[in-house]
């Protein structure tokens, strides 16, 4: 039958997205042959002429190969609602597709990768070709039914709701397996604390890895992070502070990804945790100064580092940083801390800066004190003068 080209459009863009050689923007038209590419931490949502929507995940290159409308077919069909035929080529990356359920299609909506062809009439499913080295193409069906074909082997398989399969041009057998269940995130924290920015992964039977996606909206139209996590936590430190939507799914040993769970999370750098120096004294012997003090607010895993420098004169240039002339460290595991500050000159004003490193990376306030070097031997109590917290 005679056909006409039907256009699609870009619904949303997040991050670096190219439409051909130009920067893509929401509202751009998509014509046959249009190539859309998302960069790292970037995504786009497109709508085809039949109402189907596709989300291009980060690092994806796709082409609208066919988008045709055919004349009305059958009794009662409307000439203003042509039958649709569409093919999207997924060169690399991943597509999440919600195919319009009630669209009139001359042929199934198809997604073609270099090693597979997936056809569907109305469903929710994923297609990925994100590891060209293996030539594996995977399909996961969340709703409905799709047909996945392996052209190199001349065979295919029907993949029903809750199932997935990996297709490889060198492997004839297509194993259709159950998707992993959605992870339980009830015990997963909603606060992600910087500077580490780690989000712990839950326990999920059958999961060899996890995929973590972060978006600015609950519909995940603006995906800004797409990570595969092989360790016990996802590194989200690079996210700007704020509230985000995070979704997580397990990946089985063959690479097939399961159902999602979603949780709102807050990424932020907490204010520095306060700590104080209580009773203190300076012991001196032959010019060697040892500071002893009672600490309050530190944990056994905290490490204190003290640096000593001469106090700047009032007319010293602001940009001049006084050189460190002594350094010492200690653990916060005991109430009384001892720091050997080394040989210091009597009567000279010094600045003592104490910083704390926590094992979990949570910031701790630094303290700076002023003191004067002692002569002879003996000790002086409470000689430290707080300069700034």
């Amino acid at each position: 039958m005679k056909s006409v080209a039907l256009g699609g459009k870009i619904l949303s863009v997040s991050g670096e997205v190219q439409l051909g050689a130009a920067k893509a923007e929401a509202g751009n038209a998509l014509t046959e042959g249009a190539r859309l590419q998302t960069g790292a931490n970037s995504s786009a949502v497109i709508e085809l002429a039949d109402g189907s929507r596709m989300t291009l995940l980060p690092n994806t290159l796709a082409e609208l190969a066919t988008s045709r409308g055919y004349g009305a077919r059958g009794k009662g069909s409307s000439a203003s609602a042509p039958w649709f035929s569409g093919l999207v080529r997924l060169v690399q990356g991943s597509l999440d597709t919600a195919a319009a359920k009630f669209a009139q299609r001359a042929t199934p909506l198809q997604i073609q990768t270099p090693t597979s062809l997936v056809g569907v009439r109305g469903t929710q499913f994923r297609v990925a070709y994100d590891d060209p080295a293996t030539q594996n193409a995977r399909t996961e069906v969340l709703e409905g039914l799709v047909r996945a074909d392996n052209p190199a082997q001349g065979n295919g398989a029907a993949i029903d709701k809750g199932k997935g399969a990996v297709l490889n041009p060198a492997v004839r057998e297509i194993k259709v397996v159950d998707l992993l269940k959605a992870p339980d995130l009830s015990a997963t924290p909603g606060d992600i604390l910087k500077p580490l920015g780690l989000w712990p992964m839950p326990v999920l039977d059958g999961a060899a890895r996890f995929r973590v996606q972060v978006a600015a909206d609950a519909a995940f139209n603006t995906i800004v992070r797409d990570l595969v996590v092989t360790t016990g936590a996802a590194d989200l430190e690079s996210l700007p502070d704020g509230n985000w939507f995070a979704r997580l799914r397990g990946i089985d040993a063959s690479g097939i990804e399961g159902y999602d769970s979603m949780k709102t999370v807050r990424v932020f750098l907490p204010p520095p945790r306060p700590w104080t120096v209580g009773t203190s004294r300076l012991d001196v012997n032959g010019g060697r100064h040892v500071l002893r003090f009672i600490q309050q607010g530190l944990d056994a895993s905290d490490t204190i580092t003290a640096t000593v420098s001469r106090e700047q004169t009032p007319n010293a240039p602001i940009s001049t940083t006084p050189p460190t002339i002594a350094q010492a460290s200690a653990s916060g595991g005991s109430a009384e801390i001892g720091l050997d500050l080394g040989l210091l000159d009597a009567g000279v004003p010094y600045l003592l800066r104490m910083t704390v490193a926590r094992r979990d990376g949570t910031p701790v306030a630094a303290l700076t004190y002023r003191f004067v070097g002692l002569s002879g031997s003996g000790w002086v109590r409470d000689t430290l003068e707080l300069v700034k917290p």
Side-chain angles (χ1 to χ4, degrees):
M1 298 178 64
K2 186 177 180 179
S3 65
V4 295
L6 297 178
K9 61 182 176 181
I10 299 176
L11 296 181
S12 66
V13 168
S14 177
E16 297 296 323
V17 182
Q18 292 289 119
L19 176 57
K23 181 179 180 180
E25 296 181 356
N28 284 159
L30 294 175
T31 58
E32 285 187 326
R35 289 169 68 90
L36 200 61
Q37 184 164 16
T38 60
N41 302 325
S42 305
S43 60
V45 179
I46 65 173
E47 184 176 73
L48 303 184
D50 70 338
S52 297
R53 295 190 175 190
M54 295 183 179
T55 301
L56 284 71
L57 300 182
N59 298 311
T60 292
L61 173 60
E63 176 186 355
L64 182 57
T66 303
S67 180
R68 311 295 296 180
Y70 294 83
R73 296 166 46 144
K75 185 176 180 180
S77 295
S78 170
S80 62
W83 287 64
F84 178 73
S85 177
L87 170 66
V88 174
R89 289 197 182 98
L90 177 60
V91 180
Q92 184 172 336
S94 304
L95 289 176
D96 287 0
T97 301
K101 292 183 178 181
F102 304 109
Q104 298 182 127
R105 294 195 180 94
T107 60
L109 175 63
Q110 295 179 312
I111 298 177
Q112 182 183 52
T113 77
T115 57
S116 70
L117 182 65
V118 177
V120 63
R121 290 189 180 275
T123 188
Q124 257 187 300
F125 64 105
R126 311 185 196 112
V127 177
Y129 185 76
D130 49 13
D131 187 7
T134 64
Q135 294 191 298
N136 284 339
R138 71 172 194 274
T139 300
E140 298 128 12
V141 180
L142 307 178
E143 180 183 321
L145 175 71
V146 308
R147 168 80 182 184
D149 289 300
N150 187 339
Q153 294 292 333
N155 66 342
I159 306 178
D160 204 349
K161 176 182 177 180
K163 307 287 185 179
V166 173
L167 281 70
N168 185 283
V171 179
R172 179 167 181 78
E173 182 183 8
I174 300 176
K175 294 182 179 180
V176 179
V177 301
D178 292 332
L179 301 185
L180 295 180
K181 295 180 180 179
D184 181 4
L185 300 184
S186 59
T188 304
D191 285 345
I192 301 174
L193 305 182
K194 292 182 176 181
L196 291 184
L198 297 179
W199 195 42
M201 297 294 95
V203 174
L204 178 64
D205 289 343
R209 296 172 293 165
F210 290 94
R211 184 173 295 277
V212 176
Q213 295 174 335
V214 181
D217 64 302
F220 284 78
N221 290 329
T222 53
I223 296 173
V224 298
R225 294 293 185 275
D226 183 49
L227 310 172
V228 173
V229 180
T230 57
T231 59
D235 183 358
L236 300 178
E237 189 274 336
S238 63
L239 281 172
D241 288 6
N243 296 319
W244 299 93
F245 296 90
R247 68 183 179 191
L248 178 70
R249 56 180 176 256
I251 305 174
D252 68 17
S254 65
I256 296 174
E257 304 187 2
Y259 281 100
D260 289 312
S261 287
M262 193 271 284
K263 187 164 190 168
T264 56
V265 297
R266 182 168 66 117
V267 179
F268 67 101
L269 180 68
R273 180 168 58 85
W275 68 287
T276 59
V277 171
T279 303
S280 66
R281 79 180 201 182
L282 268 176
D283 292 327
V284 61
N285 187 358
R288 192 168 199 89
H289 290 60
V290 175
L291 173 65
R292 304 183 189 280
F293 63 90
I294 302 299
Q295 64 86 8
Q296 298 173 341
L298 297 182
D299 297 332
S301 60
D302 295 339
T303 301
I304 307 167
T305 299
T307 58
V308 178
S309 60
R310 289 179 183 267
E311 186 176 20
Q312 288 180 302
T313 59
N315 58 354
I318 296 176
S319 60
T320 301
T321 301
T324 298
I325 60 177
Q327 190 170 48
S329 62
S331 168
S334 59
E336 183 177 80
I337 304 296
L339 296 170
D340 187 345
L341 305 182
L343 291 170
L344 302 176
D345 296 329
V348 174
Y350 292 98
L351 290 179
L352 170 69
R353 179 174 173 81
M354 291 188 285
T355 59
V356 177
R358 296 202 69 186
R359 182 182 300 172
D360 64 2
T362 304
V364 180
L367 299 178
T368 301
Y369 289 88
R370 179 187 293 110
F371 71 95
V372 177
L374 305 177
S375 61
S377 298
W379 58 273
V380 177
R381 185 184 299 275
D382 294 332
T383 187
L384 299 181
E385 177 188 349
L386 182 64
V387 176
K388 58 183 177 179

